[in-house]
Every structure is written in structure tokens, then in C-alpha cells.
Amino acid sequence: MKLEVTPDLRQLVEYAGASGDFYDMHYDLDFARTLGHPDLAVHGLLKAAFLGRLVTDWLGDRGQLVWFEVSYRGMDFRDQPFTCHLEADGTAVELYGESADGRRTTLGRAEVAFHTGVDT
Amino acid sequence: MTIDKLRAAVGWTYREREDVVERRHLRAFRHAIGEDPDDETVPPTFTACFLDEPPPMPEAEAYGLGWLNGGDRFEYHAPLRLGDVIRSRLRFQDVIEKDGKSGKMAILTFVTEFRRPDGELVVRHVGTRIRR
């Protein structure tokens, strides 16, 4: 199961506003460059939210999340495709987010609990 | 700034917050992450909105040039729904220093418990934040 998104500057600004994280490196290119970044980076927590979408789409109303964690191994930048992948084995869920050049920049895991009687 | 001042700051907490899962906010968040804003389900990372990001800790801001996010973990203890009132306080839990490709970096761990006013734990968040 996968989900492909391409966050643009508008989406980064919308996420900054909704989350309250106004760290300049996500919308001020001059600031990002002073930190050595080539472009505006996607918020780690926005990438986590994309992986979270995939988990909740997959889980539906069959159960609930017990925990969900994401580790950021590389940066992703605006206007670049970011593809989220999900593989489930029982209640254990493995996730990763892949940048356009095939790097697994974002690794995730989750544990779910199925409602009683749900066929997993 | 040396790592020692950061180590000495372990245990630092920020102000206590009280937040409400408001309809307009939930709509804006769902829209921003590409979900249907008319659905009132609270997404699994929504409590990140109730974190002060980046952490406003002077000892961290004095180390390195900028912030990177290393990771986020959410532990779900009770359902979070529209209208819920949530209290929380950001706590600086731990720090280690590592040698990276571009010099030294500090890896900081922050823990936040999101609780209802009666004390019930709803979500526990562990944030790994990097200064370099």
C-alpha cells in the first residue's frame, strides 16, 4: 500500500500555520541557505502526518493505534514527490517514506490493536 | 556553548499549556496534511500542534546554528476527539553529543504528556531534536 504526495510551498505554509511550527527554514529560502540547505525542506512532522494518513487509511475502523513513531534520516524538499509505503504483519506495521531519487528518508513503525472479532 | 550547559539543563520544562481540539483548527490541520477537512477524526500526529516547536530552550538555541528534527513517537492511551481539553508541559529529558559529517551535533530528547484536566493520560510524545 502506498501514498504519493508532492508538497509545495503553499502546503508547507499551511502546515506551519496549522501546527504552529513557524521555524523559518520551511518557508524562508535565504534562511534555509544560511543553514546549508539547497531548498525549503518539508517539516519532519508533515512527513509523519503523511505516513499517519497511510496507517489510518489502512486500519480504517478495524482497530486503533497503540503507538506510532517516525525517524527522519534525510531531508525532503518542496515540489519533489514523496512516496509513503506500508507493510503490515499482524499488528506490527512497517512504514517508510521515499524521496524522488529512491532514498528512504523517513522510517516509521506502528503497533495497532484490532477490535475484538475483526478479521485481520 | 559546550555540551555541558545542555547537560546541566536536563529536566528543564516549559510553561504548562491548555489547548482545545477546536473545529476550525482541526479543519486547517486536516487540510494541510491532505485529508478531508469535513471529517472530524483527529489525525495521529495532531497533538504535535500542542508542542512548542522548535523547543524554546535558550541552552539549545545557543548550541550550533539550527534545528533538525530527528524523530517523533506518539503513544496513544485514550481517544482524542473534537472539543477535548488537553494540558501539557514540554520537558527536556536527555541529550547526547555526536560527531557528524558536518561537525558536532547535540541530540536532544523532549517528552510531553498530553492529559485531560482530570489527569487522564491521552497521548505521550517523545521528540528527538537535533542542534548542529
Side-chain angles (χ1 to χ4, degrees):
Chain A
M1 196 170 165
K2 65 180 187 178
L3 169 72
E4 186 182 309
V5 291
T6 305
D8 57 9
L9 175 56
R10 183 185 183 89
Q11 189 167 21
L12 299 189
V13 170
E14 286 171 346
Y15 185 77
S19 70
D21 178 353
F22 285 102
Y23 190 42
D24 315 61
M25 67 174 259
H26 302 293
Y27 55 85
D28 181 338
L29 188 55
D30 291 336
F31 183 90
R33 285 180 173 155
T34 65
L35 296 176
H37 304 155
D39 204 338
L40 299 171
V42 180
H43 298 76
L45 275 159
L46 178 54
K47 297 196 288 180
F50 292 143
L51 292 177
R53 276 177 57 184
L54 196 53
V55 177
T56 52
D57 285 353
W58 165 78
L59 184 60
D61 57 7
R62 296 179 301 151
Q64 61 206 33
L65 273 169
V66 178
W67 54 261
F68 167 56
E69 66 179 23
V70 176
S71 169
Y72 312 108
R73 304 301 173 92
M75 300 179 89
D76 289 274
F77 299 98
R78 63 166 167 173
D79 300 330
Q80 300 290 316
F82 178 73
T83 309
C84 305
H85 297 261
L86 178 148
E87 285 169 25
D89 180 8
T91 60
V93 182
E94 294 281 338
L95 300 146
Y96 64 90
E98 194 174 24
S99 62
D101 59 7
R103 286 176 304 126
R104 294 189 180 189
T105 59
T106 313
L107 304 180
R109 290 192 305 154
E111 178 80 27
V112 302
F114 291 106
H115 297 315
T116 307
V118 166
D119 180 8
T120 60
Chain B
M1 171 68 69
T2 64
I3 190 71
D4 296 337
K5 292 212 172 144
L6 263 175
R7 287 198 184 108
V10 168
W12 171 91
T13 57
Y14 197 48
R15 64 190 167 115
E16 186 180 59
R17 296 178 57 130
E18 184 174 286
D19 295 280
V20 182
V21 183
E22 293 168 331
R23 179 171 278 113
R24 182 174 181 275
H25 185 199
L26 181 58
R27 284 185 65 86
F29 186 83
R30 290 187 58 96
H31 172 75
I33 68 170
E35 290 272 49
D36 174 9
D38 291 332
D39 185 322
E40 293 183 347
T41 308
V42 177
T45 61
F46 186 77
T47 46
C49 300
F50 302 157
L51 293 170
D52 290 282
E53 294 276 8
M57 190 173 78
E59 292 85 348
E61 287 161 1
Y63 183 105
L65 285 178
W67 288 99
L68 289 174
N69 194 343
D72 288 283
R73 176 180 168 91
F74 299 85
E75 297 163 9
Y76 305 100
H77 295 267
L80 185 61
R81 299 190 183 93
L82 189 65
D84 285 356
V85 176
I86 293 296
R87 290 183 184 158
S88 63
R89 185 190 287 270
L90 184 68
R91 179 185 161 82
F92 177 40
Q93 186 85 358
D94 195 19
V95 62
I96 57 168
E97 191 173 52
K98 278 193 178 171
D99 282 308
K101 279 176 290 186
S102 53
K104 285 190 189 303
M105 62 172 82
I107 300 169
L108 300 86
T109 307
F110 292 89
V111 176
T112 308
E113 292 180 345
F114 297 95
R115 294 180 180 272
R116 302 193 203 284
D118 68 3
E120 184 189 19
L121 181 60
V122 178
V123 173
R124 181 174 179 270
H125 174 263
V126 182
T128 306
R129 303 290 180 261
I130 299 166
R131 286 293 300 186
R132 67 161 199 205

